[in-house]
């Protein structure tokens, strides 16, 4: 369906934290040639056809945009009667990925075609709807960035409402808005659809418990509910109480001998951490309560359901008979805890699993080697990008589920390199620039209406646009947002300056958060003045790495000014790409980096210090400041190698070390300077910490403590390093007319790698056998490449599929 011509009725979704069911039964004489639904919900939807789960959505957006999903339903339909069932949820509060409106609604249409005939079934008063869904609204918010916990009463909910033979005669007709909505643009879904799978769970321990469930109300913090599950007194099972696996991997368990006074605790684990939803159904002789907790981590055999003040738990009030649990929200998890209380007799838990979700794209790029550590790091990094890419790119699918500029411009780039799909990346770019603050700065959290700006993220957003252009050569998107880039840089020119350097002094905290909590159709893009923080990297912020040395952000910041230099050069590069005058950005960058060096470079130590306060240099040294200063041209290559050696191979406890996020800026400098061996050692030793700690997805920091999430895609810097730094394949800067492959055959005995570029996929593989080095690879059509070995030997005119042997294997 053409979104531009879509004029459909809007159906009401009233109330905060409210869930509603919709269904429509229709008859077809034979299976249609095509069946598609076009759907948008202001909030969250889940879609079933004839009882089979199909999808969820929509993509994250702002209230002035409605992204419609177009979903093919043909495989789910049958001849005769069919049923489309939709669960909708309206948060009604501001989240880090959602801004509420005053008119929450659902819009959609089912289109059927067969031969020359077509049938359209819009979502209107012909659809049946129910408000008594069983989901309670008097519940606490799960965390500061995401929505509410879920409390489901199966006695209130209709059983089998998603099936085609369900009787909905007592449901109400949907209520349609009479007036059209204003100030909203309809668009196609800007990011890939989701793909769903099933992750099986294994029962690892069983206990008895006798504590009554804690009452749930909006005033009960989620961490209190979670802590009650963590601290639940547990005992060995009583005689006569049994828990049996029913003999398959479908998550079927029988719990017998239960009494109202004695409950059962089931501790389960997945093989690896995934993003998704815990689902199950149960059959019970009596009503009872099932508390569901999940976690990324385990201490002993207790899932850590509470992390950084957030409780990851929901509750189901089971009825006698069948209870079907299909939650609204998703999370990332590896361990589960189910607590069954108040039952008598038998409870059968059926089909307990996690419905996984990730973007429906092909993860084509590869990196294989005989070194098991490199292989494990690569797999963990790639899996984390898939787990974090949901309705948008998310910094973590557990605690925040939000897209941030600093995260998004990196994750989007890596996803493109792995899949050749740039939609997530483009969506981050387009959304961040479309809704700046009045000052010109960008919001830190892209799909929020909040007043927070991490001031360096505005510069990273500009640089991210330059990188997107490098990968795609899409001049149109540069022309579209070059004005927004100018506004960002003009905002920095308005900052206080001392001795030609920029001060990042924060603006006054803003109390008025009206835009975040109420969408004003008369002024849909008004952004209040932001509060500002200088991020750079976690150490020293107080959010993470609290027991480690932090970046000194007091006074004038070397890293901040070096980043301005890099942004000015990126601006000049984009202006040249679209054939506009330089506007003096390169000249200004040359002058500023001289100021940065004169002020912050300490020749006695041979490094940059972090800051200057009251004309006195800080004693704090950080990898972060020095990496950005080197990247800005603040040191010769010889000095840069000395700095990076000092801040890598010879760790000193007082130095501030870069977190996994910041290695996205350190690896490129090591590679550019030919320090691949050092970079590889660092990748192995640092990311091995995660693997040794039991991680299967990336940690937020190298500590992996109780403040961190354990699924943070921004920590995936080894992806690009392995592909371009070690395998030597083309990266962002590749020119199809002059492709150079630089494989580090001296560092790995075997390697097999491929990368996605705008010209197509490049691949390379090699193996050393004695003094022979055997290489082969592939270049896309019409591409000619040159190969340079570590020893300087060159091979030219590589085309299509190529192979040769090199002897002796000096490189």
């Amino acid at each position: 369906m053409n979104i531009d011509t879509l004029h459909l009725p809007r159906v009401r979704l009233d109330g905060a934290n409210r869930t509603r069911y919709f269904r429509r039964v229709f008859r077809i004489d034979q299976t249609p040639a095509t069946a598609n639904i076009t759907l948008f919900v202001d909030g969250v939807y889940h879609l079933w056809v004839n009882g089979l789960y199909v999808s969820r959505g929509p993509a994250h957006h702002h209230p002035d945009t409605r992204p419609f999903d177009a979903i093919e339903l043909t495989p789910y339909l049958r001849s005769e009667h069919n049923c489309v069932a939709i669960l909708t949820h309206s948060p009604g509060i501001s989240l880090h990925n959602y801004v509420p409106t005053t008119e929450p609604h659902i819009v959609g249409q089912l289109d059927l075609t067969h031969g020359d005939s077509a049938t359209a079934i819009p979502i209107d008063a012909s659809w049946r709807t129910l408000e008594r869904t069983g989901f309670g609204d008097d519940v606490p918010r799960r965390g500061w960035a995401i929505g509410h916990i879920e409390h489901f009463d199966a006695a209130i909910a209709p059983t089998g409402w998603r099936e085609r033979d369900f009787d909905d005669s007592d449901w109400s007709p949907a209520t349609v808005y009479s007036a059209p909505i204003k100030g909203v643009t309809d668009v196609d879904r800007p990011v890939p659809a989701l793909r769903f799978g099933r992750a099986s769970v294994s029962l690892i321990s069983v206990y008895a418990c006798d504590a009554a469930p804690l009452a749930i109300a909006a005033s009960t913090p989620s961490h209190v509910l979670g802590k009650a599950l963590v601290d639940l007194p547990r005992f060995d099972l009583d005689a006569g109480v049994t828990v049996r696996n029913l003999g398959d991997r479908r998550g079927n368990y029988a719990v017998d001998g239960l009494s109202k006074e004695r409950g059962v605790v089931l501790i389960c684990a997945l093989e690896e951490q995934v993003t998704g939803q815990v689902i199950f159904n149960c059959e019970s002789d009596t009503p009872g309560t099932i508390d569901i907790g999940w976690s990324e981590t385990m201490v002993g055999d207790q899932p850590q359901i509470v992390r950084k003040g957030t409780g990851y738990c929901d509750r189901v009030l089971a009825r006698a008979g069948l209870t079907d649990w299909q939650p609204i929200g998703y999370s990332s998890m590896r361990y589960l805890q189910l607590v069954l209380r108040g039952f008598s007799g038998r409870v059968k838990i059926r089909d307990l699993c996690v419905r996984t979700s990730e973007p429906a794209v092909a993860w084509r790029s590869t990196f294989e080697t005989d070194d098991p550590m490199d292989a494990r790091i690569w797999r963990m990094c790639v899996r984390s990008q898939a787990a974090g890419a949901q309705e948008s790119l998310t910094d973590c699918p557990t605690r925040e589920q939000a897209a941030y500029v600093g995260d998004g411009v990196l994750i989007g780039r890596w996803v493109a390199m792995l899949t050749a799909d740039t939609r997530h990346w483009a969506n981050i770019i387009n959304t961040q620039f479309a809704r700046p603050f009045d000052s010109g700065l960008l919001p830190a959290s892209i799909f929020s209406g909040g007043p927070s700006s991490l001031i360096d993220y505005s510069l990273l957003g500009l640089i991210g646009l330059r990188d997107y252009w490098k990968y795609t050569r899409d001049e149109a998107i540069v022309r579209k947002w070059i004005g927004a880039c100018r506004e960002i840089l003009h905002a920095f020119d308005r900052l206080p300056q001392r001795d030609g350097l920029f001060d990042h002094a924060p603006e006054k905290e803003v109390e008025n958060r009206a835009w975040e909590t109420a969408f004003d159709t008369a002024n849909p893009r008004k952004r209040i003045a932001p509060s500002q923080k200088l991020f750079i990297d976690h150490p020293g912020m107080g959010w993470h790495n609290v027991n480690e040395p932090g970046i000194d952000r007091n006074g004038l910041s070397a890293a901040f000014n070096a980043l301005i230099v890099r942004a000015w050069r990126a601006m000049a590069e984009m202006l040249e790409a679209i054939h506009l005058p330089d506007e003096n950005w390169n000249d200004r960058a040359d002058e500023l980096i001289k100021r940065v060096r004169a002020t912050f470079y300490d020749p006695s130590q041979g490094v940059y210090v972090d800051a200057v306060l009251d004309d006195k240099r800080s004693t704090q040294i950080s990898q972060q400041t020095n990496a950005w200063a080197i990247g800005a041209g603040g040191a010769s290559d010889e000095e840069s190698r000395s700095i990076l050696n000092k801040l890598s191979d010879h760790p000193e406890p007082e130095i501030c070390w870069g977190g996994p996020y910041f290695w996205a800026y350190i690896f490129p400098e090591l590679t550019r300077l030919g320090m691949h061996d050092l970079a590889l050692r660092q990748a192995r030793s640092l990311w091995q910490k995660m693997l040794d700690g039991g991680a299967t997805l990336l940690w937020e920091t190298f500590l992996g403590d109780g403040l961190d999430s354990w699924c943070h895609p921004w920590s995936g810097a080894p992806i690009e390093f392995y592909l371009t730094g070690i395998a030597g394949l083309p990266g962002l800067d590749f020119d199809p007319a002059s492709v150079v492959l630089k494989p580090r055959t001296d560092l790995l005995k075997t390697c097999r790698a491929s990368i996605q570029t705008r010209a197509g996929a490049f691949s390379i593989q090699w193996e050393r056998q004695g003094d022979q080095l055997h290489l082969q690879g592939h270049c896309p059509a019409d591409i000619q490449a040159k190969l340079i070995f570590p020893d300087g030997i060159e091979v030219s005119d590589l085309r299509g599929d190529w192979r040769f042997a090199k002897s002796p294997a000096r490189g």
Side-chain angles (χ1 to χ4, degrees):
M1 177 174 290
N2 185 347
I3 294 298
D4 293 336
T5 61
L6 187 65
H7 300 290
L8 296 173
R10 289 176 297 121
V11 171
R12 289 183 181 273
L13 301 176
D14 296 329
N17 190 31
R18 298 292 292 276
T19 304
R20 182 175 290 195
Y21 296 153
F22 291 86
R23 52 181 275 124
R24 181 66 155 79
V25 176
F26 55 95
R27 179 185 176 88
I28 53 177
D29 293 332
Q30 53 186 315
T31 302
T34 63
N36 297 278
I37 190 169
T38 306
L39 184 61
F40 169 79
V41 170
D42 178 12
V44 177
Y45 75 78
H46 291 268
L47 172 68
W48 294 262
V49 176
N50 295 327
L52 298 176
Y53 188 77
V54 178
S55 190
R56 75 163 194 255
H60 292 157
H61 60 282
H62 277 273
D64 53 4
T65 301
R66 297 192 304 188
F68 278 81
D69 290 340
I71 306 166
E72 184 181 1
L73 304 183
T74 311
Y76 303 94
L77 297 186
R78 309 170 187 173
S79 60
E80 300 184 348
H81 289 91
N82 289 271
C83 174
V84 173
I86 304 172
L87 176 152
T88 67
H89 179 74
S90 177
I93 60 171
S94 173
L95 311 177
H96 260 42
N97 57 34
Y98 173 80
V99 178
T101 73
T102 56
E103 297 182 353
H105 59 278
I106 178 174
V107 181
Q109 180 167 292
L110 176 64
D111 288 282
L112 310 172
T113 64
H114 187 79
D116 296 332
S117 64
T119 303
I121 305 175
I123 297 177
D124 56 14
S126 68
W127 288 61
R128 312 295 287 177
T129 184
L130 184 70
E131 293 187 41
R132 289 174 56 81
T133 61
F135 286 93
D137 57 2
D138 184 27
V139 294
R141 188 168 177 172
R142 190 179 307 284
W144 57 278
I146 54 180
H148 300 82
I149 73 161
E150 297 178 31
H151 184 253
F152 179 71
D153 189 341
I156 297 175
T159 300
W161 71 275
R162 300 181 293 270
E163 304 294 337
R164 62 179 181 168
D165 57 355
F166 176 81
D167 182 6
D168 60 14
S169 59
D170 61 343
W171 287 30
S172 302
T175 303
V176 179
Y177 281 103
S178 58
I181 194 168
K182 298 179 181 179
V184 173
T185 302
D186 293 340
V187 298
D188 291 309
R189 181 183 178 96
V191 296
L194 292 173
R195 174 171 55 222
F196 301 92
R198 172 195 171 90
S200 299
V201 302
S202 299
L203 184 65
I204 57 176
S205 56
V206 180
Y207 299 95
C209 66
D210 58 9
L214 201 64
I216 293 181
S219 59
T220 312
S222 72
H223 68 85
V224 173
L225 297 169
K227 193 171 188 303
L229 297 181
V230 172
D231 295 341
L232 187 67
R234 301 180 298 182
F235 316 97
D236 292 337
L237 291 182
D238 298 336
V241 178
T242 61
V243 178
R244 293 184 296 116
N245 187 321
L246 296 181
D248 58 28
R249 291 184 57 82
R250 299 295 301 179
N252 296 329
Y253 301 94
V255 184
D256 287 292
L258 291 170
S259 67
K260 291 186 177 297
E261 295 76 26
R262 204 72 149 179
V264 167
V265 180
L266 308 178
I267 307 294
C268 305
L270 294 93
E271 185 175 351
E272 297 181 302
Q273 185 170 335
V274 299
T275 296
Q277 303 166 289
V278 181
I279 62 173
F280 62 84
N281 62 69
C282 74
E283 296 178 15
S284 55
D285 297 337
T286 67
T289 298
I290 303 177
D291 282 321
I292 307 131
W294 61 91
S295 175
E296 301 174 296
T297 65
M298 181 99 86
V299 174
D301 64 353
Q302 175 57 57
Q304 295 305 288
I305 296 167
V306 179
R307 300 274 289 179
K308 204 175 181 182
T310 300
Y312 298 101
C313 54
D314 291 329
R315 175 169 294 174
V316 173
L317 301 181
R319 71 172 92 203
L322 178 64
T323 295
D324 184 16
W325 170 238
Q326 300 269 340
I328 301 166
Y330 69 87
S331 189
S332 185
M333 66 195 77
R334 188 174 183 185
Y335 304 101
L336 310 178
Q337 176 173 317
L338 271 65
V339 183
L340 285 62
R341 287 178 280 195
F343 294 96
S344 294
R346 165 174 282 199
V347 175
K348 282 188 178 179
I349 301 289
R350 296 189 178 276
D351 206 28
L352 173 63
C353 66
V354 175
R355 178 194 292 139
T356 62
S357 54
E358 64 176 53
V361 296
W363 300 88
R364 296 186 176 96
S365 296
T366 58
F367 182 82
E368 301 172 20
T369 177
D370 61 326
D371 187 290
M373 184 55 61
D374 292 326
R376 291 177 67 197
I377 291 170
W378 166 265
R379 185 173 186 275
M380 177 172 61
C381 289
V382 174
R383 287 192 67 247
S384 298
Q385 310 312 303
Q390 300 291 316
E391 282 80 352
S392 73
L393 299 178
T394 63
D395 72 320
C396 68
T398 49
R399 186 179 61 245
E400 295 171 60
Q401 300 183 356
Y404 291 86
V405 174
D407 305 59
V409 295
L410 292 177
I411 301 168
R413 186 168 90 201
W414 298 332
V415 169
M417 288 180 171
L418 293 168
T419 68
D421 193 313
T422 61
R423 285 176 288 175
H424 270 301
W425 196 2
N427 191 41
I428 292 292
I429 296 291
N430 286 323
T431 306
Q432 70 180 15
F433 286 122
R435 294 164 183 86
F437 294 112
D438 292 344
S439 65
L441 296 180
L442 304 181
S445 181
I446 297 169
F447 295 100
S448 165
S452 175
S453 176
L454 298 175
I455 190 169
D456 44 321
Y457 275 20
S458 293
L459 298 173
L460 293 175
L462 184 154
I463 294 170
L465 175 60
R466 188 274 314 274
D467 291 344
Y468 181 84
W469 167 76
K470 280 188 171 183
Y471 184 85
T472 64
R473 286 303 194 262
D474 181 357
E475 293 182 10
I477 197 170
V478 177
R479 292 183 182 277
K480 181 178 181 179
W481 299 122
I482 199 71
C485 292
R486 284 195 189 94
E487 292 302 313
I488 291 171
L489 298 183
H490 291 161
F492 279 80
D493 277 336
R494 293 192 292 271
L495 290 174
Q497 297 183 38
R498 285 183 284 161
D499 300 324
L501 296 166
F502 291 83
D503 194 339
H504 61 90
E507 298 181 13
K508 183 179 180 181
E509 282 284 342
V510 178
E511 297 298 330
N512 175 20
R513 300 171 69 89
W515 197 95
E516 184 176 14
T517 56
F519 175 60
D520 180 3
T521 57
N523 194 7
R525 299 192 180 185
K526 176 72 173 177
R527 304 305 301 270
I528 56 181
S531 60
Q532 294 172 192
K533 293 182 175 66
L534 177 62
F535 180 69
I536 306 174
D537 193 10
H538 271 317
M541 292 297 294
W543 303 338
H544 298 268
N545 303 91
V546 294
N547 295 318
E548 296 184 342
I551 302 165
D552 189 347
R553 297 174 176 83
N554 295 303
L556 295 172
S557 165
F560 180 60
N561 280 273
L563 185 59
I564 293 174
V565 172
R566 299 181 72 159
W568 285 350
R569 297 202 191 282
M571 182 68 172
E573 194 172 352
M574 287 189 289
L575 289 168
E576 181 181 6
I578 59 175
H579 315 294
L580 292 179
D582 176 86
E583 298 179 3
N584 207 37
W585 297 113
N586 268 325
D587 290 341
R588 293 187 66 185
D590 291 341
E591 290 301 315
L592 181 54
I593 194 59
K594 291 176 184 176
R595 294 277 187 177
V596 170
R597 182 177 175 95
T599 305
F600 301 102
Y601 184 71
D602 184 348
S604 66
Q605 301 186 79
V607 295
Y608 279 83
V609 299
D610 281 351
V612 168
L613 179 62
D614 297 330
D615 298 322
K616 184 178 180 181
R617 281 181 178 160
S618 170
T619 60
Q620 183 62 59
I621 299 169
S622 68
Q623 280 184 321
Q624 295 89 338
T625 289
N626 281 273
W628 271 355
I630 289 170
S636 68
D637 287 356
E638 182 180 355
E639 289 172 329
S640 297
R641 292 187 185 95
S642 175
I643 290 171
L644 291 173
N645 271 315
K646 180 180 180 63
L647 300 185
S648 297
D649 261 356
H650 308 287
E652 301 173 28
E654 66 273 13
I655 291 174
C656 176
W657 304 103
Y661 158 71
F662 208 83
W663 275 87
Y665 304 103
I666 300 175
F667 278 135
E669 300 308 323
L670 289 169
T671 301
R672 179 181 64 82
L673 295 163
M675 304 174 73
H676 299 73
D677 54 344
L678 172 59
L680 185 59
R681 289 199 305 272
Q682 292 289 287
R684 289 169 175 171
S685 64
L686 292 171
W687 272 263
Q688 183 178 351
K689 295 178 182 178
M690 302 183 194
L691 293 168
D692 289 348
T696 59
L697 298 178
L698 293 165
W699 291 352
E700 188 169 9
T701 79
F702 291 124
L703 289 178
D705 59 17
L707 299 175
D708 288 359
S709 77
W710 276 32
C711 178
H712 227 81
W714 80 350
S715 299
I719 291 172
E720 194 166 351
F721 169 64
Y722 280 133
L723 292 177
T724 64
I726 297 299
L729 295 169
L732 283 177
D733 293 321
F734 103 97
D735 179 355
S738 179
V739 175
V740 178
L741 308 178
K742 295 183 176 180
R744 291 307 302 247
T745 55
D746 56 329
L747 298 179
L748 294 178
K749 180 179 179 181
T750 65
C751 179
R752 182 193 302 266
S754 62
I755 193 171
Q756 309 303 310
T757 74
R758 68 180 181 278
F762 288 84
S763 67
I764 193 170
Q765 66 181 79
W766 70 78
E767 180 179 6
R768 286 203 305 267
Q769 296 178 346
D771 64 352
Q772 289 282 322
L773 179 65
H774 298 272
L775 295 98
Q776 65 184 63
H778 174 80
C779 296
D782 302 321
I783 296 291
Q784 175 182 335
K786 177 170 68 175
L787 187 147
I788 302 178
F789 288 94
D791 59 8
I793 293 177
E794 298 184 5
V795 179
S796 299
D797 197 23
L798 301 177
R799 301 172 184 266
D801 294 325
W802 55 267
R803 68 172 61 230
F804 60 88
K806 178 176 182 289
S807 179
R810 292 177 295 162

